[in-house]
Amino acid sequence: MLSFSFIQPDDFHLHIRDDVLMHAVLPASAESVGRAVIMPNLTPPITDIAMALAYKARILAALPATTAFQPLMTLYLTEHLSLSTLQEVAITPDILGIKLYPAGATTNSDAGIQALESIYPLLETMEELGIPLLIHGEIPHFDVDMFDREPAFITQQLEPLTRRFPLLRVTLEHITTQDAVQFIESAPAHVGATITPHHLLYNRNHMLAGGVKPHYYCLPILKRERHREALVKAATSGNPKFFAGTDSAPHLQSKKESACGCAGIYNAPYAIALYAEIFDQALDLSLPASQKRFESFMSRHGAQFYGLPLNPTQITLTQTPVAVPIHIDTPLGPLIPIRAGEMVGWKVEKIEER
Ligand code: NCD
Ligand code: ZN
Protein backbone atom coordinates (compact mmCIF):
# COMPACT_ATOMS: atom_id res chain seq x y z
CA MET A 1 0.00 0.00 0.00
CA LEU A 2 1.35 3.41 -0.98
CA SER A 3 2.35 5.57 1.96
CA PHE A 4 4.52 8.69 2.21
CA SER A 5 5.39 11.43 4.68
CA PHE A 6 5.76 15.15 4.06
CA ILE A 7 5.91 18.42 5.98
CA GLN A 8 2.60 19.11 7.71
CA PRO A 9 0.42 21.35 5.51
CA ASP A 10 -1.31 24.64 6.30
CA ASP A 11 -4.70 25.87 5.14
CA PHE A 12 -4.41 29.39 3.78
CA HIS A 13 -8.19 30.02 3.57
CA LEU A 14 -10.62 28.63 6.13
CA HIS A 15 -14.04 29.49 7.56
CA ILE A 16 -14.54 28.06 11.02
CA ARG A 17 -17.51 30.26 12.03
CA ASP A 18 -18.05 30.83 15.78
CA ASP A 19 -19.66 29.42 18.94
CA VAL A 20 -21.43 26.05 18.62
CA LEU A 21 -20.66 25.56 14.93
CA MET A 22 -17.00 26.45 15.49
CA HIS A 23 -16.75 23.80 18.20
CA ALA A 24 -18.14 21.26 15.71
CA VAL A 25 -15.90 22.08 12.74
CA LEU A 26 -12.62 23.29 14.26
CA PRO A 27 -11.17 19.89 15.35
CA ALA A 28 -11.04 18.55 11.78
CA SER A 29 -8.67 21.37 10.81
CA ALA A 30 -6.74 21.55 14.09
CA GLU A 31 -6.01 17.81 13.83
CA SER A 32 -4.71 17.94 10.27
CA VAL A 33 -3.10 21.30 9.42
CA GLY A 34 -0.43 23.20 11.33
CA ARG A 35 -1.89 26.65 10.71
CA ALA A 36 -4.98 28.08 9.08
CA VAL A 37 -5.83 31.54 7.82
CA ILE A 38 -9.15 32.31 9.48
CA MET A 39 -11.67 34.24 7.42
CA PRO A 40 -13.31 37.23 9.14
CA ASN A 41 -16.83 37.08 7.61
CA LEU A 42 -18.71 36.50 10.84
CA THR A 43 -21.84 38.42 11.86
CA PRO A 44 -20.77 41.02 12.80
CA PRO A 45 -17.56 40.89 10.75
CA ILE A 46 -14.12 40.97 12.38
CA THR A 47 -13.21 44.54 11.53
CA ASP A 48 -10.65 45.54 14.15
CA ILE A 49 -7.67 44.13 16.02
CA ALA A 50 -9.46 43.68 19.33
CA MET A 51 -12.18 41.61 17.63
CA ALA A 52 -9.58 39.50 15.83
CA LEU A 53 -7.63 38.80 19.01
CA ALA A 54 -10.82 37.94 20.89
CA TYR A 55 -11.83 35.58 18.06
CA LYS A 56 -8.37 33.98 18.15
CA ALA A 57 -8.72 33.48 21.91
CA ARG A 58 -12.14 31.79 21.40
CA ILE A 59 -10.58 29.46 18.82
CA LEU A 60 -7.70 28.48 21.10
CA ALA A 61 -10.07 28.05 24.06
CA ALA A 62 -12.10 25.58 21.99
CA LEU A 63 -9.03 23.34 21.50
CA PRO A 64 -7.07 21.14 23.89
CA ALA A 65 -4.34 23.11 25.71
CA THR A 66 -1.72 20.89 24.07
CA THR A 67 -2.73 21.83 20.53
CA ALA A 68 0.01 23.09 18.22
CA PHE A 69 -2.57 24.45 15.77
CA GLN A 70 -2.10 28.15 15.06
CA PRO A 71 -4.94 30.32 13.76
CA LEU A 72 -3.65 33.16 11.56
CA MET A 73 -6.18 35.94 11.83
CA THR A 74 -7.44 38.38 9.19
CA LEU A 75 -9.35 41.65 9.38
CA TYR A 76 -12.41 42.34 7.25
CA LEU A 77 -11.72 45.42 5.15
CA THR A 78 -14.27 48.20 5.40
CA GLU A 79 -14.09 51.84 4.39
CA HIS A 80 -13.83 52.66 8.11
CA LEU A 81 -10.54 50.84 8.67
CA SER A 82 -8.09 53.43 9.98
CA LEU A 83 -4.49 54.04 8.98
CA SER A 84 -3.48 53.70 12.64
CA THR A 85 -5.06 50.23 12.76
CA LEU A 86 -2.92 49.29 9.77
CA GLN A 87 0.19 50.52 11.59
CA GLU A 88 -0.76 48.25 14.47
CA VAL A 89 -1.53 45.27 12.19
CA ALA A 90 1.98 45.60 10.75
CA ILE A 91 3.45 44.88 14.20
CA THR A 92 0.86 42.29 15.33
CA PRO A 93 2.06 38.84 14.21
CA ASP A 94 -1.30 37.27 15.16
CA ILE A 95 -2.82 39.06 12.16
CA LEU A 96 -1.69 37.84 8.77
CA GLY A 97 -3.49 40.25 6.48
CA ILE A 98 -6.63 42.12 5.48
CA LYS A 99 -9.50 40.51 3.56
CA LEU A 100 -11.27 42.41 0.82
CA TYR A 101 -14.84 41.38 0.01
CA PRO A 102 -16.55 43.34 -2.75
CA ALA A 103 -19.90 44.27 -1.13
CA GLY A 104 -22.50 41.59 -1.91
CA ALA A 105 -20.03 39.06 -3.38
CA THR A 106 -20.60 36.23 -0.91
CA THR A 107 -21.67 35.12 2.59
CA ASN A 108 -21.66 38.09 5.01
CA SER A 109 -20.04 40.47 2.55
CA ASP A 110 -22.59 43.30 2.80
CA ALA A 111 -20.19 45.38 4.90
CA GLY A 112 -17.51 44.99 2.23
CA ILE A 113 -16.17 47.48 -0.30
CA GLN A 114 -18.47 49.28 -2.77
CA ALA A 115 -15.80 51.17 -4.72
CA LEU A 116 -12.11 50.37 -4.66
CA GLU A 117 -11.23 54.06 -5.08
CA SER A 118 -12.55 54.68 -1.57
CA ILE A 119 -9.80 52.52 -0.06
CA TYR A 120 -6.82 53.75 -2.10
CA PRO A 121 -5.24 55.48 0.94
CA LEU A 122 -5.53 52.22 2.90
CA LEU A 123 -4.00 50.21 0.05
CA GLU A 124 -1.17 52.70 -0.26
CA THR A 125 -0.38 52.26 3.44
CA MET A 126 -0.63 48.48 3.20
CA GLU A 127 1.78 48.58 0.27
CA GLU A 128 4.24 50.67 2.31
CA LEU A 129 3.92 48.46 5.39
CA GLY A 130 4.00 45.15 3.48
CA ILE A 131 0.59 43.99 4.79
CA PRO A 132 -0.97 41.29 2.57
CA LEU A 133 -4.33 42.00 0.91
CA LEU A 134 -6.43 38.83 0.55
CA ILE A 135 -9.06 39.26 -2.15
CA HIS A 136 -12.39 37.65 -2.97
CA GLY A 137 -12.05 38.37 -6.68
CA GLU A 138 -15.51 38.76 -8.16
CA ILE A 139 -17.69 41.62 -9.40
CA PRO A 140 -21.02 40.79 -7.75
CA HIS A 141 -23.23 43.06 -9.90
CA PHE A 142 -26.40 41.57 -11.34
CA ASP A 143 -25.42 42.65 -14.85
CA VAL A 144 -22.22 40.54 -14.71
CA ASP A 145 -22.91 36.87 -15.46
CA MET A 146 -22.23 34.50 -12.53
CA PHE A 147 -19.65 32.59 -14.57
CA ASP A 148 -17.82 35.76 -15.69
CA ARG A 149 -17.52 37.48 -12.32
CA GLU A 150 -13.93 36.44 -11.61
CA PRO A 151 -12.49 37.30 -15.06
CA ALA A 152 -14.41 40.60 -14.97
CA PHE A 153 -12.88 41.42 -11.58
CA ILE A 154 -9.39 40.65 -12.85
CA THR A 155 -9.56 42.82 -15.96
CA GLN A 156 -11.69 45.66 -14.60
CA GLN A 157 -10.38 45.95 -11.05
CA LEU A 158 -7.40 43.78 -10.14
CA GLU A 159 -5.13 44.60 -13.08
CA PRO A 160 -5.58 48.36 -12.57
CA LEU A 161 -5.13 47.92 -8.81
CA THR A 162 -1.86 46.01 -9.12
CA ARG A 163 -0.61 48.62 -11.63
CA ARG A 164 -1.46 51.43 -9.21
CA PHE A 165 0.07 49.62 -6.20
CA PRO A 166 2.86 47.58 -7.82
CA LEU A 167 4.44 46.47 -4.53
CA LEU A 168 1.19 45.58 -2.72
CA ARG A 169 1.25 41.97 -1.51
CA VAL A 170 -1.88 40.31 -2.93
CA THR A 171 -3.43 36.86 -2.56
CA LEU A 172 -6.22 36.18 -5.02
CA GLU A 173 -8.30 33.72 -3.02
CA HIS A 174 -9.92 30.50 -4.28
CA ILE A 175 -9.20 31.03 -7.97
CA THR A 176 -11.53 29.28 -10.40
CA THR A 177 -10.55 30.19 -13.96
CA GLN A 178 -7.81 29.92 -16.56
CA ASP A 179 -7.92 33.74 -16.64
CA ALA A 180 -6.93 33.88 -12.96
CA VAL A 181 -4.12 31.35 -13.50
CA GLN A 182 -2.73 33.46 -16.34
CA PHE A 183 -3.02 36.66 -14.33
CA ILE A 184 -1.11 35.13 -11.39
CA GLU A 185 1.55 33.59 -13.62
CA SER A 186 2.31 36.92 -15.22
CA ALA A 187 2.21 38.94 -11.96
CA PRO A 188 5.26 39.61 -9.74
CA ALA A 189 6.32 37.15 -7.01
CA HIS A 190 4.40 38.97 -4.25
CA VAL A 191 1.07 38.24 -6.02
CA GLY A 192 -0.11 34.67 -5.38
CA ALA A 193 -3.28 32.57 -5.22
CA THR A 194 -4.97 29.88 -3.16
CA ILE A 195 -6.74 26.95 -4.83
CA THR A 196 -9.46 24.82 -3.18
CA PRO A 197 -9.86 21.04 -3.48
CA HIS A 198 -13.38 21.41 -4.89
CA HIS A 199 -12.35 23.69 -7.75
CA LEU A 200 -9.62 21.16 -8.62
CA LEU A 201 -12.05 18.24 -8.53
CA TYR A 202 -15.30 19.50 -9.97
CA ASN A 203 -16.74 21.47 -12.85
CA ARG A 204 -20.19 23.03 -13.14
CA ASN A 205 -21.71 19.82 -14.51
CA HIS A 206 -21.14 18.19 -11.14
CA MET A 207 -23.42 20.87 -9.69
CA LEU A 208 -26.03 21.17 -12.43
CA ALA A 209 -26.26 18.10 -14.70
CA GLY A 210 -29.11 15.71 -13.83
CA GLY A 211 -30.54 17.99 -11.10
CA VAL A 212 -29.43 20.94 -8.98
CA LYS A 213 -26.96 19.75 -6.31
CA PRO A 214 -26.77 22.44 -3.67
CA HIS A 215 -23.79 20.92 -1.85
CA TYR A 216 -21.64 21.76 -4.89
CA TYR A 217 -22.70 25.41 -4.74
CA CYS A 218 -19.95 27.73 -3.58
CA LEU A 219 -18.54 31.10 -4.54
CA PRO A 220 -16.83 31.70 -6.83
CA ILE A 221 -19.12 29.19 -8.57
CA LEU A 222 -17.70 26.03 -10.20
CA LYS A 223 -16.72 26.69 -13.82
CA ARG A 224 -16.44 24.66 -17.02
CA GLU A 225 -13.98 21.78 -17.44
CA ARG A 226 -11.24 23.69 -19.24
CA HIS A 227 -10.93 26.01 -16.23
CA ARG A 228 -10.68 23.07 -13.84
CA GLU A 229 -7.92 21.64 -16.01
CA ALA A 230 -6.03 24.95 -15.92
CA LEU A 231 -6.27 24.97 -12.11
CA VAL A 232 -4.92 21.40 -11.85
CA LYS A 233 -2.05 22.34 -14.13
CA ALA A 234 -1.24 25.41 -12.00
CA ALA A 235 -1.49 23.57 -8.66
CA THR A 236 0.70 20.69 -9.80
CA SER A 237 3.20 22.85 -11.75
CA GLY A 238 5.58 23.55 -8.88
CA ASN A 239 5.04 27.31 -9.35
CA PRO A 240 5.41 28.78 -5.81
CA LYS A 241 2.67 31.38 -6.42
CA PHE A 242 -0.04 28.71 -6.08
CA PHE A 243 -0.84 27.09 -2.72
CA ALA A 244 -3.52 25.22 -0.78
CA GLY A 245 -6.45 27.06 0.80
CA THR A 246 -9.51 24.90 1.34
CA ASP A 247 -12.23 27.58 1.60
CA SER A 248 -14.02 25.01 3.76
CA ALA A 249 -17.25 26.93 4.41
CA PRO A 250 -19.78 24.98 6.51
CA HIS A 251 -23.48 25.83 6.36
CA LEU A 252 -26.15 23.65 7.96
CA GLN A 253 -27.92 21.22 5.63
CA SER A 254 -31.13 23.20 6.16
CA LYS A 255 -29.45 26.38 4.92
CA LYS A 256 -27.96 24.65 1.86
CA GLU A 257 -31.10 22.74 0.82
CA SER A 258 -33.36 25.75 0.58
CA ALA A 259 -35.13 27.94 -1.98
CA CYS A 260 -32.21 30.36 -1.56
CA GLY A 261 -29.35 28.08 -0.57
CA CYS A 262 -26.13 29.36 1.03
CA ALA A 263 -22.83 29.25 -0.86
CA GLY A 264 -20.07 27.15 0.63
CA ILE A 265 -18.66 23.61 0.59
CA TYR A 266 -17.67 21.90 3.83
CA ASN A 267 -14.46 20.04 2.98
CA ALA A 268 -12.11 20.44 5.99
CA PRO A 269 -12.19 16.80 7.24
CA TYR A 270 -11.22 15.43 3.80
CA ALA A 271 -9.26 18.28 2.23
CA ILE A 272 -5.75 16.78 2.45
CA ALA A 273 -7.02 13.44 1.13
CA LEU A 274 -8.76 15.15 -1.78
CA TYR A 275 -5.72 17.24 -2.70
CA ALA A 276 -3.76 13.96 -2.69
CA GLU A 277 -6.29 12.39 -5.07
CA ILE A 278 -5.86 15.30 -7.46
CA PHE A 279 -2.06 15.13 -7.39
CA ASP A 280 -2.09 11.35 -7.73
CA GLN A 281 -4.28 11.56 -10.81
CA ALA A 282 -2.16 14.31 -12.38
CA LEU A 283 1.36 13.27 -11.34
CA ASP A 284 1.27 9.72 -9.83
CA LEU A 285 2.09 10.04 -6.15
CA SER A 286 4.08 6.79 -6.12
CA LEU A 287 6.93 8.84 -7.66
CA PRO A 288 9.13 10.62 -5.08
CA ALA A 289 9.38 13.72 -7.34
CA SER A 290 5.57 13.94 -7.37
CA GLN A 291 5.43 13.62 -3.58
CA LYS A 292 7.80 16.61 -3.41
CA ARG A 293 5.55 18.62 -5.75
CA PHE A 294 2.61 17.80 -3.52
CA GLU A 295 4.53 18.85 -0.42
CA SER A 296 5.46 22.13 -2.11
CA PHE A 297 1.86 23.04 -2.91
CA MET A 298 0.47 21.85 0.44
CA SER A 299 3.19 22.84 2.89
CA ARG A 300 5.90 25.09 1.44
CA HIS A 301 4.56 27.64 -1.04
CA GLY A 302 2.06 29.33 1.26
CA ALA A 303 4.46 29.54 4.17
CA GLN A 304 7.17 30.97 1.90
CA PHE A 305 4.71 33.44 0.38
CA TYR A 306 3.78 34.80 3.81
CA GLY A 307 7.31 34.58 5.22
CA LEU A 308 6.41 31.93 7.81
CA PRO A 309 8.61 29.02 8.94
CA LEU A 310 7.74 25.55 7.66
CA ASN A 311 5.84 23.42 10.17
CA PRO A 312 8.17 21.42 12.46
CA THR A 313 5.93 18.36 12.04
CA GLN A 314 5.34 15.80 9.33
CA ILE A 315 2.25 13.97 8.23
CA THR A 316 1.98 10.47 6.84
CA LEU A 317 -0.64 9.70 4.20
CA THR A 318 -1.61 6.22 3.06
CA GLN A 319 -3.62 5.28 0.02
CA THR A 320 -6.40 3.76 2.10
CA PRO A 321 -10.03 4.20 1.05
CA VAL A 322 -12.09 6.04 3.69
CA ALA A 323 -15.90 6.18 3.69
CA VAL A 324 -17.34 9.67 4.09
CA PRO A 325 -20.50 9.75 6.25
CA ILE A 326 -23.75 10.96 4.69
CA HIS A 327 -23.86 13.75 7.25
CA ILE A 328 -21.93 15.09 10.22
CA ASP A 329 -24.10 15.95 13.22
CA THR A 330 -23.76 19.19 15.16
CA PRO A 331 -25.95 20.48 18.00
CA LEU A 332 -27.49 22.89 15.47
CA GLY A 333 -28.31 20.19 12.91
CA PRO A 334 -26.46 18.16 10.29
CA LEU A 335 -23.71 19.34 7.96
CA ILE A 336 -23.24 17.60 4.62
CA PRO A 337 -19.53 17.20 3.91
CA ILE A 338 -17.95 17.09 0.47
CA ARG A 339 -18.18 13.53 -1.01
CA ALA A 340 -20.94 12.65 1.50
CA GLY A 341 -21.83 8.94 1.29
CA GLU A 342 -18.90 8.22 -1.03
CA MET A 343 -15.21 7.33 -0.62
CA VAL A 344 -11.99 9.32 -0.51
CA GLY A 345 -8.80 7.56 -1.56
CA TRP A 346 -6.35 8.69 1.13
CA LYS A 347 -6.07 8.70 4.89
CA VAL A 348 -4.02 10.84 7.29
CA GLU A 349 -2.21 8.11 9.26
CA LYS A 350 -0.14 10.11 11.73
CA ILE A 351 1.43 13.47 12.53
CA GLU A 352 4.77 13.62 14.37
CA GLU A 353 7.89 15.75 14.83
CA ARG A 354 10.16 15.59 11.81
C1 NCD B 1 -17.90 31.37 1.97
C2 NCD B 1 -18.71 31.36 3.27
O1 NCD B 1 -19.73 30.67 3.33
O2 NCD B 1 -18.33 32.05 4.22
N1 NCD B 1 -18.68 30.75 0.93
C3 NCD B 1 -18.21 30.21 -0.22
O3 NCD B 1 -19.00 29.80 -1.06
N2 NCD B 1 -16.92 30.10 -0.47
C4 NCD B 1 -17.49 32.76 1.65
C5 NCD B 1 -16.48 32.86 0.54
O4 NCD B 1 -15.31 32.52 0.71
O5 NCD B 1 -16.86 33.30 -0.55
ZN1 ZN C 1 -13.92 31.68 1.69
Side-chain angles (χ1 to χ4, degrees):
M1 184 210 306
L2 180 55
S3 171
F4 69 98
S5 301
F6 62 104
I7 297 170
Q8 191 180 13
D10 298 305
D11 181 350
F12 280 94
H13 184 126
L14 177 66
H15 301 267
I16 47 150
R17 315 306 190 200
D18 209 344
D19 303 322
V20 175
L21 196 51
M22 176 175 81
H23 280 81
V25 301
L26 177 58
S29 294
E31 287 160 14
S32 59
V33 296
R35 296 167 291 214
V37 175
I38 308 296
M39 288 296 132
N41 60 331
L42 304 184
T43 28
I46 302 295
T47 50
D48 64 38
I49 293 176
M51 290 175 91
L53 297 182
Y55 186 24
K56 179 176 177 176
R58 291 198 296 282
I59 295 167
L60 293 177
L63 291 168
T66 52
T67 188
F69 174 76
Q70 272 181 283
L72 305 170
M73 309 310 291
T74 55
L75 294 193
Y76 185 117
L77 182 54
T78 71
E79 283 148 22
H80 308 290
L81 187 72
S82 69
L83 295 178
S84 62
T85 300
L86 288 177
Q87 304 277 359
E88 212 180 317
V89 167
I91 52 166
T92 306
D94 308 74
I95 297 176
L96 177 99
I98 312 281
K99 178 71 190 272
L100 165 61
Y101 291 101
T106 189
T107 308
N108 296 338
S109 63
D110 292 350
I113 299 303
Q114 300 279 357
L116 284 179
E117 294 73 26
S118 68
I119 54 161
Y120 280 174
L122 296 173
L123 298 180
E124 199 180 324
T125 303
M126 288 175 63
E127 184 183 36
E128 277 165 25
L129 296 172
I131 300 173
L133 178 69
L134 285 61
I135 301 181
H136 183 113
E138 290 195 285
I139 294 185
H141 297 165
F142 195 79
D143 53 4
V144 181
D145 188 272
M146 277 301 287
F147 294 95
D148 298 335
R149 289 179 172 194
E150 183 178 274
F153 181 84
I154 292 168
T155 50
Q156 293 173 37
Q157 304 198 339
L158 188 56
E159 282 173 352
L161 185 122
T162 50
R163 275 198 300 273
R164 190 176 182 106
F165 303 103
L167 300 178
L168 182 64
R169 296 170 65 186
V170 170
T171 311
L172 187 56
E173 298 288 339
H174 42 50
I175 59 169
T176 63
T177 57
Q178 189 172 32
D179 314 61
V181 168
Q182 283 166 354
F183 169 79
I184 296 294
E185 284 172 347
S186 59
H190 57 270
V191 177
T194 54
I195 310 183
T196 74
H198 41 279
H199 290 104
L200 292 167
L201 283 169
Y202 303 130
N203 64 40
R204 61 194 192 181
N205 277 8
H206 289 96
M207 175 179 55
L208 294 172
V212 176
K213 309 202 182 61
H215 300 293
Y216 288 82
Y217 176 59
C218 65
L219 290 171
I221 200 160
L222 295 170
K223 305 296 193 298
R224 54 169 73 242
E225 177 64 6
R226 78 177 164 83
H227 293 296
R228 188 194 70 81
E229 287 165 0
L231 295 173
V232 171
K233 222 170 140 200
T236 58
S237 67
N239 185 334
K241 299 161 123 263
F242 299 104
F243 45 93
T246 66
D247 196 17
S248 180
H251 292 277
L252 296 176
Q253 179 179 17
S254 54
K255 295 268 170 62
K256 294 281 300 171
E257 298 173 14
S258 149
C260 186
C262 292
I265 293 180
Y266 177 48
N267 63 27
Y270 303 101
I272 296 174
L274 293 171
Y275 281 122
E277 274 186 24
I278 295 148
F279 271 72
D280 191 35
Q281 203 179 25
L283 297 180
D284 183 357
L285 279 178
S286 69
L287 306 171
S290 302
Q291 295 170 8
K292 284 281 158 217
R293 268 294 161 83
F294 182 60
E295 178 184 69
S296 297
F297 176 78
M298 297 298 293
S299 318
R300 288 180 183 272
H301 293 168
Q304 283 161 8
F305 185 82
Y306 285 110
L308 300 167
L310 300 178
N311 285 316
T313 34
Q314 66 173 21
I315 182 167
T316 302
L317 275 188
T318 55
Q319 198 166 25
T320 309
V322 175
V324 179
I326 52 169
H327 56 76
I328 295 175
D329 283 320
T330 82
L332 300 177
L335 292 170
I336 308 296
I338 193 169
R339 282 277 170 90
E342 297 175 57
M343 307 296 285
V344 297
W346 296 79
K347 181 164 181 252
V348 175
E349 214 58 68
K350 61 175 182 220
I351 297 170
E352 64 205 334
E353 298 298 310
R354 52 183 175 100

